[in-house]
Amino acid sequence: VPVPAHVETLYGVHTDPEQTFSVASVLTKRLERERDSNRAYRENWVQRALAGVINERLADLARDPGAPFLYAGVGSGRMTPLTVQDSAFVSGKEGRVEEALEVALREVQRVRQHGISEAELDRVRRNLLSSLEQSWKERHTTSSKSNLQELLRNFTNGETVPGLDVEWALGQRYLPGLTVAEVNAAATAFLLPPGRVVTSVVPQREGVVPPTADSLRAVIDRIDAEQTEAPGAEEAIAELLPAWP
């Protein structure tokens, strides 16, 4: 059964006495067009490459002592057997959770409007392939807990479980061929309606003023309407690194 669709963006704010830091997130839900095919597997790598580039930019921002967040990141994954979710998450410094969300989403908007560079894609492709190769090399010593979690996701969400030998072979086939155009196309609707939900959870304690649905809506409205500046040019690194296997 698919998750019920909604056109409007939904907002929610919660306080929790056990929460120790302030967070905010944006989540969008979409029906998966296709799965269990080579094309679907390639599209999954495109989404992971997109998230990798955005996360790299957010990590650069987080290294600035003046950044409003301690951590920010984006990702995609299956919510149900028929529904995929794209998400962004920020852990804001105290009193700055709305600012943290706005700064993070501005980078998402920048990618939607201006795309990514070949140098960024080079770096992310190599990181993804290196991580996959490491997992393949350690396949005989991987904790059974990790395998169990994958099997549980297969049962609950319909995630495919081809095994690391197949994943490594497919990764070598598809990752080197991912293009900037593919990733930019995937970015155009990333974290945009329909099916968007914006939430924040903050500590319930004296001195902490939670955001409101209206203040979160104002952040989303500003970002949706903003025309961002293009990022600075980055030198392609393809010729500086070893050739793809």
Side-chain angles (χ1 to χ4, degrees), residues 16-148:
D16 186 341
E18 298 183 357
Q19 182 78 7
T20 58
F21 52 91
S22 298
V23 300
S25 66
V26 177
L27 180 149
T28 56
K29 307 176 291 292
R30 53 188 169 86
L31 288 177
E32 190 169 36
R33 294 184 303 166
E34 181 182 1
R35 65 178 182 178
D36 302 336
S37 70
N38 284 347
R39 183 169 66 177
Y41 193 80
R42 182 186 178 93
E43 288 178 354
N44 176 62
W45 280 115
V46 170
Q47 290 293 332
R48 292 178 66 178
L50 170 62
V53 170
I54 296 173
N55 286 335
E56 197 175 67
R57 294 188 185 186
L58 293 175
D60 285 343
L61 291 175
R63 283 190 278 270
D64 185 337
F69 48 74
L70 301 170
Y71 170 81
V74 303
S76 299
R78 186 174 285 125
M79 176 181 286
T80 73
L82 298 176
T83 306
V84 174
Q85 67 175 32
D86 300 319
S87 60
F89 173 88
V90 297
S91 174
K93 295 178 180 178
E94 189 157 323
R96 303 179 70 184
V97 67
E98 294 136 310
E99 180 188 359
L101 183 64
E102 185 162 355
V103 170
L105 292 182
R106 180 168 293 113
E107 288 310 307
V108 175
Q109 178 79 330
R110 200 182 315 277
V111 171
R112 286 194 296 246
Q113 292 178 341
H114 303 287
I116 67 170
S117 71
E118 186 64 47
E120 288 177 311
L121 182 57
D122 274 344
R123 194 160 48 244
V124 166
R125 282 185 305 203
R126 293 174 189 277
N127 289 341
L128 289 171
L129 193 63
S130 175
S131 177
L132 183 60
E133 182 180 19
Q134 189 65 28
S135 295
W136 178 76
K137 288 179 176 179
E138 297 174 352
R139 64 195 182 283
H140 297 306
T141 58
T142 301
S143 166
S144 58
K145 179 180 179 181
S146 175
N147 294 329
L148 176 61

Side-chain angles (χ1 to χ4, degrees), residues 180-202:
V180 167
E182 284 180 291
V183 178
N184 287 347
T188 56
F190 189 66
L191 296 181
L192 291 177
R196 185 165 62 180
V197 179
V198 182
T199 62
S200 180
V201 181
V202 301

Side-chain angles (χ1 to χ4, degrees), residues 215-232:
S215 67
L216 293 176
R217 184 178 294 105
V219 168
I220 296 299
D221 288 346
R222 283 195 298 272
I223 292 299
D224 284 353
E226 184 172 333
Q227 181 59 48
T228 61
E229 293 184 4

